[in-house]
Structures are given as structure tokens and as C-alpha cells.
Amino acid sequence: MKYSVSEENYIKAIYHLQQEVDRVNTMLLASTLETKPASITDMLKKLKTKRLLDYKPYYGFKLSAEGNRVALVIIRRHRLWEFFLAEKLKFSWEEVHEMAEDLEHVSNKKLIDKLDAFLGYPKFDPHGDPIPDQDGKIQKEEHVLLSELKVKAQGRVTKIKSHSTKIMDLIAHQQMNIGSKITVKKVFEFDESMEIVIDGKTTKNISKQLANNIFIANDK
Amino acid sequence: MKYSVSEENYIKAIYHLQQEVDRVNTMLLASTLETKPASITDMLKKLKTKRLLDYKPYYGFKLSAEGNRVALVIIRRHRLWEFFLAEKLKFSWEEVHEMAEDLEHVSNKKLIDKLDAFLGYPKFDPHGDPIPDQDGKIQKEEHVLLSELKVKAQGRVTKIKSHSTKIMDLIAHQQMNIGSKITVKKVFEFDESMEIVIDGKTTKNISKQLANNIFIANDK
DNA sequence: AATATTTTTTAGGTTTGTCTAAATTTTATA
DNA sequence: TATAAAATTTAGACAAACCTAAAAAATATT
Ligand SMILES: [Mn+2]
Ligand SMILES: [Mn+2]
Ligand SMILES: [Mn+2]
Ligand SMILES: [Mn+2]
């Protein structure tokens, strides 16, 4: 089955919201897609008749098994393109999301599988999010917040929680990046700020708020 | 200015038809786009109000200077993606056109320019058609039909006239390709068939009809 | 020159995806 | 529990891009 750009954007948005809440509701989806609630209701009916959605009026909704499968196909396309843009075309990882938002709707399966091969079957996109494979399987990476690490613990930065420009600014300035190796040197009781070493080179002090937004995979 | 997928497809189709005829007409465009004449008229009016088209009812139409500029942007995108698909993803050159038909509408300029750089600023797409540069300039390659070459002449295959599967079949079987070096060994008067050497290795006999569909750049 | 044929445009509809405004249902509050 | 507020759906409209059928204009044929 082939779905329209709009349908795909709805499916993907519902999938992402479901990672946070169990049953998505109209208002929430309207605000993330920046449309009006009435438009959401229209699309919900359509997705329901296409059997992509479990939906009872007034009771919220969730993707069907098939809806989930479709969502993962779209997310696979999105993240592979993001990886391509960052890795091959040398875009910074803040720039890639918007372009991938369009590229994800080019839906030729053979194209995506060949792209995957060309990129060397990457497991994570530039933001550290997992890339579903051909069967929709995603590799779960166990990561913890940097703020939860104890002194002497170390690991690699896998993901940033929020992608706001404010946080990006700070992180870029600190010369941290996805993949950077982090070692915790000290944790100060006063404000829970940390002293860390980045890639075995530079030593930095970071606030609790910042450490709360950085995910780390335990290196071992 | 940003144009819809439909608008872009119309603009590009008009551009291509103008390479053959001076003023395009409704029927011709309808048949190449596989739509009805009434739909063409609707779009012509829209393109006219957007100043992309010179159009007087009943008198045929042609792209304005701006329309031409836009067409070349779309063709640049199309051919760069084709080059990417063939060169990097290892698609055969018969497969790339259809996928490029979708990718050409992803219109982020920085993306296309970076793709261009990544590919090494190629001048010709896998079919041998020239790729417009950032300013819409296209490199004119002087090529002649293989059938016009005399004995001992040599050159490289730059382009195939028709892209029908029937011709593709034959050409693939003869192990010819864009870029193959061709040397004419003999021309038989009886049926004007030729004996040629491909890439200095294999010797083949080809019919006048086939030679009439293969463009050659004079190597020198 | 008159008539027939072809081409093009116009008129009026349909589908998709959006919207506003109003009605309905659910949830919260007094 | 009655009422107020919020969330959701319905009703009706609109733009984009298509369509069919009919009218109008251009071109070809007798
Ligand atoms: Mn993204
Ligand atoms: Mn999207
Ligand atoms: Mn092409
Ligand atoms: Mn296209």
C-alpha cells in the first residue's frame, strides 16, 4: 500500500507520541502537527477505514499492528536519509531533520534498501535514534542520563534529549558530539554540576540541567 | 518561489517539448503528461498568472525566461539524483529515471548543491544528458550518431536516443554502455550494418537501426 | 465557401486535505 | 449533582488538481 504525504506524516506523529503516552488524543496530535482538531478527526476516520488505526470517537486512539509497521518504514526512511545527509553530504546534525522530513516520503523500497547498503547498514541516526532495519526491527540501546553517572564512570554520548537551538548552542560550544567519549571526574554536591573529560582531552564543567539532557551508553 | 509537484512536472514537460517544437500545444502536453486537455488549460492559466508562461488562449504557449530558469533547476535536481543513484547506489541506468521523478521535487537548494559537490560536479547524467550547474548553465556536448561515423573513426558512447526497453535489451546484450569506447572497423554497403570494437576488446556487428540510436562524442 | 473534424476552452463535478463555526460529549468545578 | 469548561466531532466551505461533457474556435476537407 502507498500512502499520501499527509497520511504518512500523521502515522509517524502518532507513532512518536505513543512512545510517551499510551493513547494519543486529538488536541495533542493537533498541536504537534500544527493543524486544527477538526482536521485531525477527519484524518483519524480515514486511517481507521484503512485499518491503520484503532479509533473510537471520544476515546483516543492508537496505531494498529499494521499502522505500527508502516510507521517504522517511514521512520527508517527518515533516519537513513538523515544519516546520509550528515555522513556523506557533511551537513551538521542540526540541519538534517528538516530535509529528511521531505525525503522520507520518497517511498521506493529498493531505493531505501540500496541506500542502507551504501551507508553500511548504520544502526543509529545522527541524533542517536535507532534506525529500523528492513523488517522494522530496531536495536534498543540502553542509555542512561549523564546526570545519573557516578564519578569515574564513562561512556559515549548517544543522544540529546531536546533538540532546541538553545541546548544545541551550548553543546556545540562544549565541543561535545554524538559519539564523544565522556568520563566523569567529579560531581559537586552543592549544585550537582559535574566535571567531565571529553574524548580524553578537554575538561569541562557542566550544569545538572545540561547533564539531564544528554544520554550516555555504558561503554563496555 | 516554491512550486507544487504538479506545477514542477508541467514546467519540466513544457521545457523538454520545447527542445523539439517551438510552441507547445495543449494536446501534445496532455499526451506526454497523460492527463486530459481540460486539465492542461487549467494549469496553463495558473502558470501564466505566476509569470512562468507565455500563453494566449488558442495560440500555443512557451516558457517565460523565469519559467526556463525554474525548469533548469528541476532538471538539475533530476539529473544529479540520477547520477547519484547510478554511481553511488549502483542502480542500472535504466532504473534511475523513475526514482528521480520523485526525488527531483525535494527542493532544498543547499541539499542539491552539497549533493553536487559530493558527486564531484558531474557534467552528464547516466543517460548522457547534461546536468545544469548552479546557474542553470549546461555544457553542450557535440555528439554525432554512430551511424554517421566512417571506418576507423572512434569515440565514446554518450547517449542513447530512445530509452525503450527493446533498445535497452539489445544494447545491454552487446555490452555497450555510456562511456564505452567504440571503434568502427567496417561498414557494409549492403545493409549499412557496422562492425565495431567495444572498449578495444570485443568485436560486434550492429544494424543501421541500432547505430542510428547511439550518440558518440568525438574523442579528441 | 460551406461543412466536417480537430483542438481548445469553459462549465460544472469530485477527491484530498485543510479550515471555521456550531453542536455534542466528556471532564472538571462549585 | 448541577453547571462550567474543555475536548471532540459534525456541518459546511474552500483551494488544488484532477475529471467529463458541452461549447467555441481553429483547421482541414469537400
Ligand atoms: Mn529527524
Ligand atoms: Mn514528513
Ligand atoms: Mn531522467
Ligand atoms: Mn516528477
Side-chain angles (χ1 to χ4, degrees), chain B residues 59-71:
Chain B
Y59 280 82
F61 44 91
K62 65 194 289 196
L63 292 173
S64 68
E66 175 63 9
N68 238 279
R69 200 193 57 74
V70 173

Side-chain angles (χ1 to χ4, degrees), chain A residues 4 6 10 35-36 38-39 42-43 46 58:
Chain A
S4 72
S6 260
Y10 274 79
T35 58
K36 302 292 158 172
S39 309
D42 285 347
M43 183 60 89
K46 196 164 38 138
Y58 294 106

Side-chain angles (χ1 to χ4, degrees), chain A residues 5-6 8-10 12 74 78 97-105:
Chain A
V5 170
S6 260
E8 289 192 349
N9 284 333
Y10 274 79
K12 193 178 58 140
I74 302 162
H78 181 102
H97 181 81
E98 211 185 301
M99 284 175 262
E101 207 54 54
D102 290 334
L103 287 164
E104 71 187 359
H105 304 293

Side-chain angles (χ1 to χ4, degrees), chain B residues 3 31 48 87 91 98 120 135 154 190 192-194 216:
Chain B
Y3 301 101
S31 85
K48 185 199 164 94
E87 190 75 11
F91 278 100
E98 212 186 298
D135 304 317
Q154 59 175 43
F190 173 64
E192 295 179 84
S193 70
M194 297 177 146
I216 300 286

Side-chain angles (χ1 to χ4, degrees), chain B:
Chain B
M1 252 280 92
K2 246 216 137 203
Y3 301 101
S4 74
V5 169
S6 259
E7 287 169 331
E8 290 192 348
N9 284 334
Y10 275 79
I11 294 164
K12 192 178 60 142
I14 296 169
Y15 178 93
H16 285 312
L17 289 173
Q18 279 185 11
Q19 309 308 300
E20 322 251 307
V21 295
D22 200 61
R23 282 207 146 230
V24 187
N25 61 273
T26 308
M27 291 292 282
L28 181 59
L29 186 52
S31 85
T32 60
L33 287 176
E34 292 177 292
T35 58
K36 302 291 158 172
S39 309
I40 300 294
T41 305
D42 284 348
M43 184 60 89
L44 294 181
K45 286 182 197 160
K46 195 163 40 136
L47 295 179
K48 185 199 164 94
T49 57
K50 295 197 177 183
R51 308 191 167 286
L52 297 170
L53 198 66
D54 246 21
Y55 165 56
K56 271 198 157 191
Y58 294 106
Y59 280 82
F61 44 91
K62 65 194 289 196
L63 292 173
S64 68
E66 175 63 9
N68 238 279
R69 200 193 57 74
V70 173
L72 285 164
V73 169
I74 302 163
I75 289 167
R76 169 173 163 77
R77 300 194 296 231
H78 181 101
R79 293 184 179 161
L80 281 173
W81 283 117
E82 280 190 346
F83 188 95
F84 168 75
L85 294 170
E87 190 75 11
K88 301 292 182 180
L89 299 197
K90 306 298 176 197
F91 278 100
S92 73
W93 52 294
E94 303 102 90
E95 295 177 278
V96 299
H97 181 81
E98 212 186 298
M99 284 176 263
E101 208 54 53
D102 290 333
L103 286 164
E104 70 187 1
H105 304 293
V106 177
S107 58
N108 185 295
K109 175 151 172 39
K110 197 173 167 193
L111 164 58
I112 297 303
D113 291 344
K114 284 226 180 196
L115 177 64
D116 196 10
F118 173 63
L119 298 174
Y121 303 101
K123 293 283 167 291
F124 299 94
D125 79 9
H127 307 105
D129 295 308
I131 301 175
D133 69 13
Q134 289 193 47
D135 304 317
K137 291 252 175 341
I138 54 182
Q139 191 160 311
K140 262 260 151 49
E141 186 166 44
E142 319 101 44
H143 40 210
V144 292
L145 287 172
L146 175 50
S147 54
E148 287 162 7
L149 292 192
K150 308 265 181 281
V151 171
K152 285 189 184 162
Q154 59 175 43
R156 280 173 306 98
V157 176
T158 52
K159 189 170 160 172
I160 311 300
K161 206 184 220 171
S162 141
H163 290 171
S164 76
T165 34
K166 285 172 185 171
I167 223 179
M168 294 309 196
D169 246 32
L170 177 52
I171 286 174
H173 184 78
Q174 301 280 39
Q175 305 180 57
M176 252 185 270
N177 225 315
I178 301 290
S180 296
K181 196 176 137 192
I182 305 287
T183 313
V184 179
K185 283 291 166 190
K186 258 202 167 81
V187 180
F188 300 98
E189 275 186 42
F190 173 64
D191 57 1
E192 295 179 84
S193 70
M194 297 177 146
E195 188 177 270
I196 60 173
V197 177
I198 301 172
D199 290 324
K201 287 176 293 205
T202 36
T203 301
K204 297 265 161 152
N205 275 80
I206 66 170
S207 69
K208 176 74 186 291
Q209 286 114 292
L210 181 55
N212 250 331
N213 277 277
I214 297 173
F215 284 105
I216 300 286
N218 276 332
D219 240 11
K220 81 155 134 1

